[in-house]
């Protein structure tokens, strides 16, 4: 890139053009002179931090965790190694997450972000209104046992309303609830394919073909069964139905 720039400047000079001025940028860091400057700098820092953490928040405050773990269990149960590829499973999980969370996001926008843009409410009230639909969604899909665990760790009293539950408690409780649900669904997915593996292994042993890997024979049958029962339709339909 530098060589190309030097060549271009040389050609411009050769053709008799006027002196070319290369723009420069100066980045300076200085101590704030007033409290307002410090607050403005901290606000910029907070916004940049939130933008950096936004992908992680998508993972922990939505159903993405449940979807991607169940899809991973399904691939392991089928024994298809890298088919479907990980990128495709992650994209499918993100698309389904957007489909499920769209009504929640719309409520959050209408309740908090839109009035804040129109300068009808302040920042604090906008944040509380925006997070409330997500809190309602997470609490509906969180076990009371998991929620009580973190209240007990913090030694806090039970909240009176959903708005009183801090995000620092509802988010980890929601995550471990999603993990438990995903592992339960994954276990149920494994059972029929495990039966196929056991039947194939028993038949091979009875025929004296112990040197032949059972997975090589059972894999086509597992794929055939999954296709015949329209497995993707059943799995995604039941996954979405399991979300409250």
């Amino acid at each position: 890139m530098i060589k190309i720039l030097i060549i271009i400047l040389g050609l411009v000079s050769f053709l008799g053009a006027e002196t070319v001025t290369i723009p420069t940028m100066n980045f300076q860091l200085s101590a704030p002179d007033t409290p307002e400057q410090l607050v403005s700098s901290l606000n910029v820092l907070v916004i940049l931090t939130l933008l950096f953490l936004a992908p992680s928040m998508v993972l922990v405050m939505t159903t993405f965790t449940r979807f991607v773990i169940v899809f991973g269990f399904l691939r392991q149960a089928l024994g298809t190694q890298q088919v479907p590829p990980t990128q495709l499973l992650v994209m499918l999980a993100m698309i389904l997450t957007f489909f499920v969370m769209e009504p929640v996001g719309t409520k959050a926008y209408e309740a908090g972000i839109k009035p804040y843009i129109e300068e009808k409410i302040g920042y604090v009230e906008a944040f509380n209104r925006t997070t409330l639909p997500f809190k309602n969604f997470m609490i509906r899909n969180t076990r009371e046992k998991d929620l009580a665990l973190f209240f007990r760790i913090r030694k806090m009293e039970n909240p009176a309303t959903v708005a009183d539950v801090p995000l620092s408690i509802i988010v980890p409780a929601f995550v471990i609830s999603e993990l438990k649900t995903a592992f339960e669904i994954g276990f149920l997915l494994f059972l029929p394919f495990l039966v196929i593996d056991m039947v194939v292994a028993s038949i091979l042993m009875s025929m004296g073909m112990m040197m032949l890997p059972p997975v090589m024979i059972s894999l086509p049958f597992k794929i055939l069964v999954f296709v015949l029962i329209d497995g993707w339709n059943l799995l995604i339909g039941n996954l979405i139905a399991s979300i409250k």
Side-chain angles (χ1 to χ4, degrees), residues 83-132:
V83 180
T86 303
Q87 294 84 351
L88 179 59
L89 294 181
V90 171
M91 288 301 300
L92 178 59
M94 292 182 65
I95 292 171
L96 293 177
T97 300
F98 177 80
F99 174 79
V100 172
M101 299 301 298
E102 183 182 7
V104 180
T106 302
K107 290 181 182 178
Y109 175 81
E110 295 291 338
I113 298 177
K114 185 177 180 180
Y116 179 72
I117 295 175
E118 296 174 352
E119 299 182 354
K120 294 181 180 179
I121 58 177
Y123 170 77
V124 176
E125 185 177 358
F127 178 79
N128 293 331
R129 289 188 179 186
T130 303
T131 56
L132 185 58

Side-chain angles (χ1 to χ4, degrees), residues 192-226:
F193 300 114
L194 179 62
V195 172
I196 295 176
D197 286 333
M198 294 177 63
V199 170
V200 171
S202 299
I203 293 175
L204 291 178
M205 290 184 65
S206 62
M207 296 176 62
M209 304 174 65
M210 293 178 292
M211 300 301 294
L212 183 63
V215 178
M216 183 181 300
I217 306 300
S218 63
L219 178 59
F221 288 101
K222 290 190 289 186
I223 295 176
L224 178 62
V225 170
F226 189 73

